[in-house]
Amino acid sequence: MRDRDRDTARIREALDDPHGLCDALGLLVGGWKRQAGGVMILCPFDHDEKTPSCSVKRTRDGVLAHCFGCRQSADGLGLVAAAYRLNIRSDYAEVLDLSADIAGVPRPDRIEPYVAPPVRPMVRREDIARRWNYSANVNSST
């Protein structure tokens, strides 16, 4: 397991309290209700509503949020990203830092940005034709 995966798993495990997480994110303002294993909150996934429709529960894998209004779901990290209006894919390092602060665990210091593998140069059609003609001439002369 890579260090980055270990950091993510460690932070995800620390975000295990739905009520505490929603409270830390400021999502318990307005309307919210207790439910078995978690809370119902107003949706943080970009749709307006007056009554709570987003269920945030503790599962065996951590916290899971699901909105019954817009049908979006997220884990604890996705909920942090939604509360801060961040894109979890492009702002992943920032989401991990914020989540680590909320969970009270040390911030990961080994997160490197994604580096694409080097691209091999494309072979031009002229080169292929030249090689084919060369091999055809060599084979026909024997």
Coordinates of all heavy atoms in Angstrom, one line a residue, residues 53-136:
S53 N -32.9 16.4 3.7 CA -33.1 15.3 2.8 C -31.8 14.5 2.7 O -31.8 13.5 1.9 CB -33.6 15.7 1.5 OG -32.5 16.5 0.8
C54 N -30.7 14.9 3.3 CA -29.4 14.2 3.2 C -29.1 13.4 4.5 O -29.0 14.0 5.6 CB -28.3 15.2 3.0 SG -26.7 14.5 2.6
S55 N -29.1 12.1 4.3 CA -28.8 11.2 5.4 C -27.3 11.1 5.6 O -26.6 10.7 4.6 CB -29.4 9.9 5.2 OG -29.0 8.9 6.1
V56 N -26.8 11.3 6.8 CA -25.3 11.1 7.0 C -25.3 10.0 8.1 O -25.7 10.3 9.2 CB -24.6 12.4 7.5 CG1 -23.1 12.1 7.7 CG2 -24.8 13.5 6.5
K57 N -24.7 8.8 7.8 CA -24.7 7.7 8.7 C -23.3 7.1 8.8 O -22.5 7.3 7.9 CB -25.7 6.6 8.2 CG -27.1 6.9 8.4 CD -27.9 5.6 8.0 CE -29.3 5.8 8.4 NZ -30.1 4.6 8.2
R58 N -23.1 6.4 9.9 CA -21.9 5.7 10.1 C -22.1 4.3 9.5 O -23.1 3.6 9.8 CB -21.6 5.5 11.6 CG -20.4 4.7 11.9 CD -20.1 4.6 13.4 NE -19.8 5.9 13.9 CZ -20.1 6.2 15.2 NH1 -20.7 5.3 16.0 NH2 -19.8 7.4 15.6
T59 N -21.2 3.9 8.7 CA -21.2 2.5 8.1 C -20.0 1.8 8.5 O -19.1 2.4 9.2 CB -21.3 2.6 6.6 OG1 -20.1 3.2 6.1 CG2 -22.5 3.4 6.1
R60 N -19.8 0.6 8.1 CA -18.6 -0.2 8.5 C -17.4 0.4 7.8 O -16.2 0.2 8.3 CB -18.7 -1.6 8.2 CG -18.8 -2.0 6.8 CD -18.7 -3.5 6.6 NE -18.8 -3.7 5.2 CZ -19.8 -4.3 4.6 NH1 -20.9 -4.7 5.3 NH2 -19.8 -4.5 3.3
D61 N -17.6 1.1 6.7 CA -16.4 1.8 6.0 C -16.2 3.2 6.4 O -15.3 3.9 5.8 CB -16.7 1.7 4.5 CG -16.8 0.2 4.0 OD1 -16.1 -0.6 4.6 OD2 -17.5 0.0 3.1
G62 N -16.9 3.7 7.3 CA -16.8 5.1 7.7 C -18.1 5.8 7.6 O -19.2 5.3 7.9
V63 N -18.1 7.1 7.3 CA -19.3 7.9 7.2 C -19.8 7.9 5.7 O -19.0 8.0 4.8 CB -19.0 9.4 7.6 CG1 -20.2 10.3 7.3 CG2 -18.7 9.4 9.1
L64 N -21.1 7.8 5.5 CA -21.7 7.8 4.2 C -22.8 8.8 4.2 O -23.7 8.8 5.1 CB -22.2 6.5 3.8 CG -23.0 6.4 2.5 CD1 -21.9 6.6 1.3 CD2 -23.7 5.1 2.3
A65 N -22.8 9.7 3.2 CA -23.8 10.7 3.1 C -24.6 10.4 1.8 O -24.0 10.1 0.8 CB -23.3 12.1 3.0
H66 N -25.9 10.5 1.9 CA -26.8 10.3 0.7 C -27.9 11.2 0.7 O -28.7 11.3 1.7 CB -27.3 8.8 0.6 CG -28.2 8.6 -0.5 ND1 -27.8 8.5 -1.8 CD2 -29.6 8.5 -0.5 CE1 -28.9 8.3 -2.6 NE2 -29.9 8.4 -1.8
C67 N -28.1 12.0 -0.3 CA -29.2 12.9 -0.4 C -30.4 12.3 -1.2 O -30.1 11.8 -2.3 CB -28.8 14.2 -1.1 SG -30.2 15.4 -1.3
F68 N -31.5 12.2 -0.6 CA -32.7 11.6 -1.3 C -33.3 12.6 -2.2 O -34.2 12.2 -3.0 CB -33.7 11.1 -0.2 CG -33.2 10.0 0.6 CD1 -32.6 10.3 1.9 CD2 -33.1 8.7 0.1 CE1 -32.1 9.2 2.6 CE2 -32.6 7.7 0.9 CZ -32.1 7.9 2.1
G69 N -33.0 13.9 -2.2 CA -33.5 14.9 -3.1 C -32.8 14.9 -4.4 O -33.4 14.8 -5.5
C70 N -31.5 14.9 -4.4 CA -30.7 15.0 -5.7 C -30.0 13.7 -6.0 O -29.3 13.6 -7.0 CB -29.7 16.1 -5.6 SG -28.4 15.9 -4.4
R71 N -30.1 12.7 -5.1 CA -29.6 11.3 -5.3 C -28.0 11.3 -5.4 O -27.5 10.4 -5.9 CB -30.1 10.7 -6.6 CG -31.6 10.6 -6.7 CD -32.0 9.4 -6.0 NE -33.5 9.2 -6.1 CZ -34.2 8.8 -5.2 NH1 -33.7 8.5 -4.0 NH2 -35.5 8.7 -5.4
Q72 N -27.3 12.3 -4.8 CA -25.9 12.2 -4.7 C -25.5 11.6 -3.5 O -26.1 11.7 -2.4 CB -25.3 13.6 -4.8 CG -25.4 14.2 -6.2 CD -24.5 15.5 -6.3 OE1 -23.5 15.6 -5.7 NE2 -25.0 16.4 -7.2
S73 N -24.3 10.9 -3.5 CA -23.8 10.2 -2.4 C -22.3 10.5 -2.2 O -21.6 10.8 -3.2 CB -23.9 8.7 -2.5 OG -25.3 8.3 -2.5
A74 N -21.8 10.4 -1.0 CA -20.3 10.7 -0.8 C -19.9 10.0 0.5 O -20.7 9.8 1.4 CB -20.1 12.2 -0.8
D75 N -18.6 9.8 0.6 CA -18.1 9.3 1.9 C -17.7 10.6 2.7 O -18.1 11.7 2.3 CB -16.9 8.4 1.7 CG -15.7 9.1 1.0 OD1 -15.9 10.3 0.5 OD2 -14.6 8.5 0.9
G76 N -17.0 10.4 3.8 CA -16.6 11.5 4.6 C -15.8 12.5 3.9 O -16.0 13.7 4.1
L77 N -14.8 12.1 3.1 CA -14.0 13.0 2.3 C -14.9 13.8 1.3 O -14.7 15.0 1.1 CB -12.9 12.3 1.6 CG -11.9 11.6 2.5 CD1 -10.9 10.9 1.6 CD2 -11.2 12.6 3.4
G78 N -15.8 13.1 0.7 CA -16.7 13.8 -0.3 C -17.6 14.8 0.4 O -17.9 15.9 -0.2
L79 N -18.0 14.5 1.6 CA -18.8 15.5 2.4 C -18.0 16.7 2.7 O -18.6 17.8 2.7 CB -19.4 14.8 3.6 CG -20.4 15.5 4.4 CD1 -21.7 15.8 3.6 CD2 -20.8 14.7 5.7
V80 N -16.8 16.5 3.1 CA -15.9 17.7 3.4 C -15.7 18.5 2.1 O -15.9 19.7 2.2 CB -14.5 17.2 3.9 CG1 -13.6 18.4 4.0 CG2 -14.7 16.6 5.3
A81 N -15.5 17.9 1.0 CA -15.4 18.6 -0.3 C -16.6 19.4 -0.6 O -16.6 20.5 -1.0 CB -15.0 17.6 -1.4
A82 N -17.8 18.7 -0.4 CA -19.1 19.4 -0.7 C -19.3 20.6 0.2 O -19.8 21.6 -0.3 CB -20.2 18.4 -0.6
A83 N -19.0 20.4 1.5 CA -19.2 21.5 2.4 C -18.3 22.7 2.1 O -18.7 23.9 2.3 CB -18.9 21.1 3.8
Y84 N -17.1 22.5 1.6 CA -16.2 23.6 1.3 C -16.3 24.0 -0.2 O -15.5 24.8 -0.7 CB -14.8 23.2 1.6 CG -14.5 23.3 3.1 CD1 -14.5 22.2 3.9 CD2 -14.1 24.5 3.7 CE1 -14.3 22.3 5.3 CE2 -13.9 24.7 5.0 CZ -13.9 23.5 5.8 OH -13.7 23.7 7.2
R85 N -17.2 23.4 -0.9 CA -17.4 23.6 -2.4 C -16.1 23.4 -3.2 O -15.7 24.2 -4.0 CB -17.8 25.1 -2.6 CG -19.1 25.5 -1.9 CD -20.3 24.8 -2.6 NE -21.6 25.3 -2.1 CZ -22.5 24.5 -1.6 NH1 -22.3 23.2 -1.5 NH2 -23.6 24.9 -1.1
L86 N -15.5 22.3 -2.9 CA -14.2 21.9 -3.6 C -14.6 20.7 -4.5 O -15.5 19.9 -4.2 CB -13.2 21.4 -2.6 CG -12.6 22.5 -1.7 CD1 -11.7 21.9 -0.6 CD2 -11.9 23.6 -2.4
N87 N -13.8 20.5 -5.5 CA -13.9 19.3 -6.4 C -12.9 18.3 -5.8 O -11.7 18.5 -5.7 CB -13.5 19.7 -7.8 CG -13.6 18.5 -8.8 OD1 -13.4 17.4 -8.4 ND2 -13.9 18.8 -10.0
I88 N -13.5 17.1 -5.4 CA -12.6 16.1 -4.8 C -11.5 15.6 -5.7 O -10.5 15.2 -5.2 CB -13.5 15.0 -4.2 CG1 -12.7 14.2 -3.2 CG2 -14.1 14.1 -5.3 CD1 -13.5 13.4 -2.2
R89 N -11.7 15.6 -6.9 CA -10.7 15.1 -7.9 C -9.5 16.1 -8.0 O -8.4 15.8 -7.9 CB -11.3 14.8 -9.2 CG -12.2 13.6 -9.1 CD -12.8 13.3 -10.5 NE -13.8 12.3 -10.3 CZ -13.7 11.1 -10.9 NH1 -12.8 10.8 -11.7 NH2 -14.7 10.2 -10.7
S90 N -9.9 17.4 -8.3 CA -8.8 18.4 -8.6 C -8.3 19.0 -7.3 O -7.1 19.4 -7.4 CB -9.4 19.4 -9.6 OG -10.4 20.1 -9.0
D91 N -9.0 19.0 -6.3 CA -8.6 19.6 -5.0 C -8.3 18.5 -3.9 O -8.5 18.8 -2.7 CB -9.6 20.6 -4.5 CG -9.9 21.7 -5.5 OD1 -9.0 22.2 -6.2 OD2 -11.1 22.1 -5.6
Y92 N -7.9 17.4 -4.3 CA -7.8 16.2 -3.4 C -6.9 16.5 -2.2 O -7.2 16.2 -1.1 CB -7.4 15.0 -4.2 CG -7.5 13.7 -3.4 CD1 -8.7 13.2 -3.1 CD2 -6.4 13.1 -2.9 CE1 -8.9 12.0 -2.4 CE2 -6.5 11.9 -2.2 CZ -7.8 11.4 -1.9 OH -7.9 10.2 -1.2
A93 N -5.7 17.1 -2.5 CA -4.8 17.4 -1.4 C -5.3 18.3 -0.4 O -5.2 18.1 0.8 CB -3.5 17.9 -2.0
E94 N -6.1 19.3 -0.9 CA -6.7 20.3 0.1 C -7.8 19.6 0.9 O -8.0 19.9 2.1 CB -7.2 21.5 -0.7 CG -7.7 22.6 0.2 CD -8.2 23.8 -0.6 OE1 -8.0 23.9 -1.8 OE2 -8.7 24.7 0.0
V95 N -8.6 18.7 0.2 CA -9.6 18.0 0.9 C -9.0 17.1 2.0 O -9.6 17.1 3.1 CB -10.5 17.2 -0.1 CG1 -11.4 16.2 0.7 CG2 -11.3 18.1 -1.0
L96 N -7.9 16.5 1.7 CA -7.3 15.6 2.7 C -6.7 16.5 3.9 O -6.9 16.1 5.0 CB -6.1 14.8 2.1 CG -6.5 13.5 1.4 CD1 -5.2 12.8 1.0 CD2 -7.3 12.6 2.3
D97 N -6.2 17.6 3.6 CA -5.7 18.5 4.6 C -6.8 19.0 5.6 O -6.7 18.9 6.8 CB -5.0 19.7 4.1 CG -3.6 19.4 3.6 OD1 -3.0 18.3 3.9 OD2 -3.0 20.2 2.8
L98 N -7.9 19.4 4.9 CA -9.1 19.9 5.7 C -9.6 18.7 6.6 O -10.0 18.9 7.7 CB -10.1 20.5 4.8 CG -9.8 21.8 4.1 CD1 -10.8 22.1 3.0 CD2 -9.8 22.9 5.2
S99 N -9.7 17.6 5.9 CA -10.3 16.4 6.6 C -9.4 16.0 7.8 O -9.9 15.6 8.9 CB -10.5 15.2 5.7 OG -11.3 15.6 4.6
A100 N -8.1 16.0 7.6 CA -7.2 15.7 8.7 C -7.3 16.7 9.9 O -7.3 16.3 11.0 CB -5.7 15.7 8.2
D101 N -7.5 18.0 9.6 CA -7.7 18.9 10.6 C -9.0 18.7 11.4 O -9.0 18.8 12.6 CB -7.7 20.4 10.0 CG -6.3 20.8 9.6 OD1 -5.3 20.2 10.0 OD2 -6.3 21.8 8.8
I102 N -10.0 18.4 10.7 CA -11.3 18.1 11.3 C -11.3 16.8 12.1 O -11.8 16.8 13.3 CB -12.5 18.0 10.2 CG1 -12.7 19.3 9.6 CG2 -13.7 17.4 10.8 CD1 -13.6 19.3 8.4
A103 N -10.6 15.8 11.6 CA -10.5 14.5 12.3 C -9.5 14.6 13.5 O -9.5 13.7 14.3 CB -10.1 13.4 11.4
G104 N -8.6 15.6 13.5 CA -7.7 15.7 14.6 C -6.5 14.7 14.4 O -5.9 14.3 15.4
V105 N -6.2 14.4 13.2 CA -5.0 13.6 12.9 C -3.9 14.4 12.2 O -4.3 15.4 11.6 CB -5.4 12.3 12.1 CG1 -6.3 11.4 12.8 CG2 -6.0 12.7 10.7
P106 N -2.7 14.0 12.2 CA -1.6 14.7 11.5 C -1.9 14.8 10.0 O -2.4 13.9 9.4 CB -0.4 14.0 11.8 CG -0.7 13.1 13.0 CD -2.1 12.8 13.0
R107 N -1.6 16.0 9.5 CA -1.8 16.2 8.0 C -0.8 15.3 7.2 O 0.3 15.1 7.7 CB -1.5 17.6 7.6 CG -2.5 18.6 8.0 CD -2.1 19.9 7.5 NE -3.2 20.8 7.7 CZ -3.3 22.0 7.1 NH1 -2.3 22.4 6.3 NH2 -4.4 22.8 7.3
P108 N -1.2 14.8 6.1 CA -0.3 14.0 5.3 C 0.7 14.9 4.6 O 0.3 16.0 4.2 CB -1.2 13.3 4.2 CG -2.5 14.2 4.2 CD -2.6 14.8 5.6
D109 N 1.9 14.6 4.6 CA 3.0 15.4 4.0 C 3.6 14.8 2.8 O 4.5 15.3 2.3 CB 4.1 15.7 5.1 CG 4.7 14.5 5.6 OD1 4.2 13.4 5.4 OD2 5.7 14.6 6.3
R110 N 3.1 13.7 2.4 CA 3.7 13.0 1.2 C 2.8 13.0 0.0 O 2.9 12.2 -0.9 CB 4.0 11.6 1.6 CG 5.0 11.4 2.6 CD 5.2 10.0 3.0 NE 4.0 9.4 3.6 CZ 3.7 9.5 4.9 NH1 4.5 10.1 5.7 NH2 2.6 8.9 5.4
I111 N 1.8 13.9 -0.1 CA 0.9 13.9 -1.2 C 1.6 14.7 -2.4 O 1.9 15.9 -2.3 CB -0.4 14.5 -0.9 CG1 -1.1 13.7 0.2 CG2 -1.3 14.7 -2.1 CD1 -2.3 14.3 0.7
E112 N 1.9 14.0 -3.5 CA 2.4 14.6 -4.6 C 1.3 14.8 -5.7 O 0.4 13.9 -5.8 CB 3.6 13.8 -5.2 CG 4.7 13.5 -4.3 CD 4.4 12.2 -3.5 OE1 3.7 11.3 -4.0 OE2 5.0 12.1 -2.4
P113 N 1.4 15.8 -6.5 CA 0.4 15.9 -7.6 C 0.6 14.8 -8.6 O 1.7 14.3 -8.7 CB 0.7 17.3 -8.2 CG 2.1 17.6 -7.8 CD 2.3 16.9 -6.5
Y114 N -0.4 14.4 -9.3 CA -0.4 13.4 -10.3 C 0.5 13.8 -11.4 O 0.4 14.9 -12.0 CB -1.8 13.1 -10.8 CG -1.8 12.1 -11.9 CD1 -1.6 10.7 -11.7 CD2 -2.0 12.5 -13.2 CE1 -1.6 9.8 -12.7 CE2 -2.0 11.6 -14.2 CZ -1.8 10.2 -14.0 OH -1.8 9.3 -15.0
V115 N 1.4 12.9 -11.8 CA 2.3 13.2 -12.9 C 2.0 12.1 -13.9 O 2.2 10.9 -13.7 CB 3.8 13.1 -12.5 CG1 4.7 13.3 -13.7 CG2 4.1 14.1 -11.4
A116 N 1.7 12.5 -15.1 CA 1.3 11.6 -16.2 C 2.6 10.9 -16.7 O 3.7 11.5 -16.7 CB 0.7 12.3 -17.4
P117 N 2.5 9.7 -17.1 CA 3.7 9.0 -17.6 C 4.1 9.6 -18.9 O 3.3 10.2 -19.6 CB 3.2 7.5 -17.8 CG 1.7 7.6 -17.9 CD 1.3 8.8 -17.1
P118 N 5.4 9.5 -19.2 CA 5.9 10.1 -20.5 C 5.2 9.5 -21.7 O 4.9 8.3 -21.7 CB 7.4 9.9 -20.5 CG 7.6 8.8 -19.5 CD 6.5 8.8 -18.5
V119 N 4.9 10.3 -22.7 CA 4.3 9.9 -23.9 C 5.3 9.5 -24.9 O 6.2 10.3 -25.2 CB 3.3 11.0 -24.4 CG1 2.7 10.5 -25.7 CG2 2.3 11.4 -23.4
R120 N 5.2 8.3 -25.5 CA 6.1 7.9 -26.5 C 5.8 8.6 -27.8 O 4.6 8.9 -28.1 CB 6.0 6.4 -26.8 CG 6.4 5.6 -25.6 CD 6.4 4.1 -25.9 NE 5.8 3.7 -27.1 CZ 5.6 2.4 -27.4 NH1 6.0 1.5 -26.7 NH2 5.0 2.1 -28.6
P121 N 6.8 9.0 -28.6 CA 6.5 9.7 -29.8 C 5.8 8.8 -30.8 O 6.0 7.6 -30.8 CB 7.9 10.1 -30.3 CG 8.8 9.2 -29.6 CD 8.2 8.8 -28.3
M122 N 4.9 9.4 -31.5 CA 4.1 8.7 -32.5 C 5.0 8.4 -33.7 O 5.9 9.1 -34.1 CB 2.9 9.4 -33.0 CG 1.9 9.6 -31.9 SD 0.4 10.5 -32.3 CE 0.1 10.2 -34.0
V123 N 4.8 7.2 -34.4 CA 5.5 6.9 -35.6 C 4.7 7.4 -36.7 O 3.5 7.3 -36.8 CB 5.6 5.3 -35.7 CG1 6.3 4.9 -37.0 CG2 6.3 4.8 -34.5
R124 N 5.4 8.1 -37.6 CA 4.7 8.8 -38.7 C 4.5 7.7 -39.8 O 5.2 6.7 -40.0 CB 5.6 9.9 -39.3 CG 5.7 11.0 -38.3 CD 6.5 12.2 -38.9 NE 7.5 11.7 -39.8 CZ 8.5 12.4 -40.1 NH1 8.7 13.6 -39.7 NH2 9.4 12.0 -41.0
R125 N 3.4 8.0 -40.6 CA 3.1 7.0 -41.7 C 4.2 6.9 -42.7 O 4.5 5.9 -43.3 CB 1.8 7.5 -42.4 CG 0.6 7.1 -41.6 CD -0.6 7.5 -42.4 NE -1.0 8.8 -42.1 CZ -1.9 9.6 -42.7 NH1 -2.5 9.1 -43.7 NH2 -2.1 10.8 -42.3
E126 N 4.9 8.0 -43.0 CA 6.0 8.0 -43.9 C 7.1 7.1 -43.5 O 7.7 6.4 -44.3 CB 6.6 9.4 -44.1 CG 5.6 10.4 -44.7 CD 4.7 11.1 -43.7 OE1 5.0 11.1 -42.5 OE2 3.6 11.5 -44.1
D127 N 7.4 7.1 -42.2 CA 8.4 6.2 -41.7 C 8.0 4.7 -41.8 O 8.9 3.9 -42.2 CB 8.7 6.5 -40.2 CG 9.3 7.9 -40.0 OD1 9.9 8.4 -40.9 OD2 9.2 8.4 -38.8
I128 N 6.8 4.4 -41.6 CA 6.3 3.1 -41.8 C 6.4 2.6 -43.2 O 6.9 1.6 -43.5 CB 4.9 2.9 -41.2 CG1 4.8 3.1 -39.7 CG2 4.3 1.5 -41.6 CD1 3.4 3.2 -39.1
A129 N 6.0 3.5 -44.1 CA 6.0 3.2 -45.5 C 7.5 3.1 -46.0 O 7.8 2.1 -46.8 CB 5.4 4.4 -46.3
R130 N 8.4 3.9 -45.5 CA 9.8 3.8 -45.9 C 10.3 2.5 -45.4 O 11.0 1.8 -46.1 CB 10.5 5.0 -45.3 CG 11.9 5.1 -45.9 CD 12.7 6.3 -45.4 NE 11.9 7.6 -45.5 CZ 11.5 8.3 -44.5 NH1 11.9 8.0 -43.3 NH2 10.8 9.4 -44.7
R131 N 10.0 2.1 -44.2 CA 10.5 0.8 -43.7 C 9.9 -0.4 -44.5 O 10.6 -1.3 -44.8 CB 10.1 0.6 -42.2 CG 11.0 1.5 -41.3 CD 10.6 1.2 -39.8 NE 11.0 2.3 -39.0 CZ 10.4 2.7 -37.9 NH1 9.4 2.0 -37.5 NH2 10.8 3.7 -37.3
W132 N 8.6 -0.3 -44.8 CA 8.0 -1.4 -45.5 C 8.6 -1.5 -46.9 O 8.9 -2.6 -47.4 CB 6.5 -1.1 -45.6 CG 5.8 -2.3 -46.2 CD1 5.4 -3.4 -45.6 CD2 5.4 -2.4 -47.6 NE1 4.8 -4.2 -46.4 CE2 4.7 -3.7 -47.7 CE3 5.5 -1.6 -48.7 CZ2 4.2 -4.1 -48.9 CZ3 5.0 -2.1 -49.9 CH2 4.4 -3.4 -50.0
N133 N 8.8 -0.4 -47.6 CA 9.4 -0.4 -48.9 C 10.8 -0.9 -48.9 O 11.3 -1.7 -49.7 CB 9.4 1.0 -49.6 CG 8.0 1.4 -50.0 OD1 7.2 0.6 -50.3 ND2 7.8 2.7 -50.1
Y134 N 11.6 -0.6 -47.8 CA 12.9 -1.0 -47.7 C 12.9 -2.6 -47.5 O 13.7 -3.3 -48.2 CB 13.6 -0.4 -46.5 CG 15.0 -0.9 -46.2 CD1 16.1 -0.5 -47.0 CD2 15.2 -1.8 -45.1 CE1 17.3 -1.0 -46.7 CE2 16.5 -2.3 -44.9 CZ 17.5 -1.9 -45.7 OH 18.8 -2.4 -45.4
S135 N 12.1 -3.1 -46.6 CA 12.0 -4.5 -46.4 C 11.5 -5.2 -47.6 O 12.0 -6.3 -47.9 CB 11.2 -4.9 -45.2 OG 9.9 -4.5 -45.4
A136 N 10.6 -4.6 -48.4 CA 10.1 -5.3 -49.6 C 11.2 -5.3 -50.7 O 11.4 -6.3 -51.4 CB 8.9 -4.5 -50.2

